[in-house]
Amino acid sequence: MPLDTNRTVEFRSSPARLGLLAVLSVAMATLGIELGWAPPGSFEQFLGWIVAISFTGTFVIAVVRLFDLKRPTLILSPKGFWDVRLSAEFIPWSVVKHISERSYRRQKFLLVEVLESVWQSPSLTKMARWSRGPNRAMGLDAMCIGTRDLDVKFDELFSAITAYAKAHGAKVD
């Protein structure tokens, strides 16, 4: 059945997936702490503390999002899309230059290329801003939207977002 792109569609985070992410983050942070007690000044110690700090941050994000499950994580509407992980407001379809999909280590994600003005917007989250540099280093100058923590399969989300984008003027592969 075709998707009605004049309606608003909401996707939420999966509590089971967020819970699993939290548990795995604790395990990885613990491993990092163990490595952090390596001989002082060693690369292992440095790596251990980086892993511990990173995965503790991931744990905090997962737990905060677990307590905010009533709010949609991703919304598609005729006026644009809103991924709360990336922005504090809707990103209009008119600023979307291109949408495609990529795979990395058996994980699929959407690449949403937007105009430079969007990257300068104060409504972008810190995570969106901070991830732009590493993404660009990998040749991906786009917003990345994954489904690992959402209650939707990648193919369903890709079909939905491309339908909305095409209906409202964005370019899609």
Side-chain angles (χ1 to χ4, degrees):
M1 179 167 83
L3 184 64
D4 181 2
T5 57
N6 292 314
R7 293 183 8 192
T8 297
V9 177
E10 298 177 347
F11 301 96
R12 299 186 185 288
S13 294
S14 165
R17 290 179 180 185
L18 284 174
L20 180 60
L21 178 61
V23 168
L24 291 175
S25 296
V26 168
M28 291 301 293
T30 303
L31 181 65
I33 291 169
E34 289 292 321
L35 272 175
W37 294 112
S42 68
F43 178 72
E44 288 83 10
Q45 181 188 37
F46 171 76
L47 182 63
W49 289 118
I50 293 296
V51 167
I53 291 167
S54 299
F55 281 99
T56 299
T58 303
F59 170 77
V60 170
I61 291 169
V63 169
V64 167
R65 291 193 45 220
L66 269 168
F67 284 104
D68 195 24
L69 288 174
K70 290 183 181 177
R71 183 172 82 155
T73 302
L74 177 63
I75 302 170
L76 303 179
S77 82
K79 66 181 176 180
F81 74 95
W82 181 12
D83 187 327
V84 300
R85 300 168 295 186
L86 300 173
S87 178
E89 60 187 31
F90 275 91
I91 297 172
W93 295 115
S94 61
V95 300
V96 174
K97 297 188 323 189
H98 188 250
I99 296 176
S100 59
E101 72 174 273
R102 290 288 193 283
S103 294
Y104 181 72
R105 294 188 179 183
R106 295 181 292 172
Q107 179 183 351
K108 290 183 179 180
F109 52 94
L110 294 164
L111 289 178
V112 181
E113 294 177 45
V114 295
L115 297 176
E116 186 63 31
S117 60
V118 175
W119 291 108
Q120 306 309 317
S121 169
S123 67
L124 287 186
T125 63
K126 286 180 180 148
M127 187 59 72
R129 290 180 199 287
W130 292 343
S131 64
R132 187 178 189 201
N135 287 345
R136 285 173 106 179
M138 293 189 311
L140 309 172
D141 191 13
M143 293 181 167
C144 297
I145 299 175
T147 57
R148 275 233 161 132
D149 61 335
L150 297 178
D151 63 357
V152 63
K153 292 181 178 161
F154 177 83
D155 293 334
E156 293 172 29
L157 177 61
F158 187 74
S159 294
I161 201 167
T162 55
Y164 275 84
K166 286 177 184 177
H168 302 288
K171 186 178 179 212
V172 179
D173 272 352

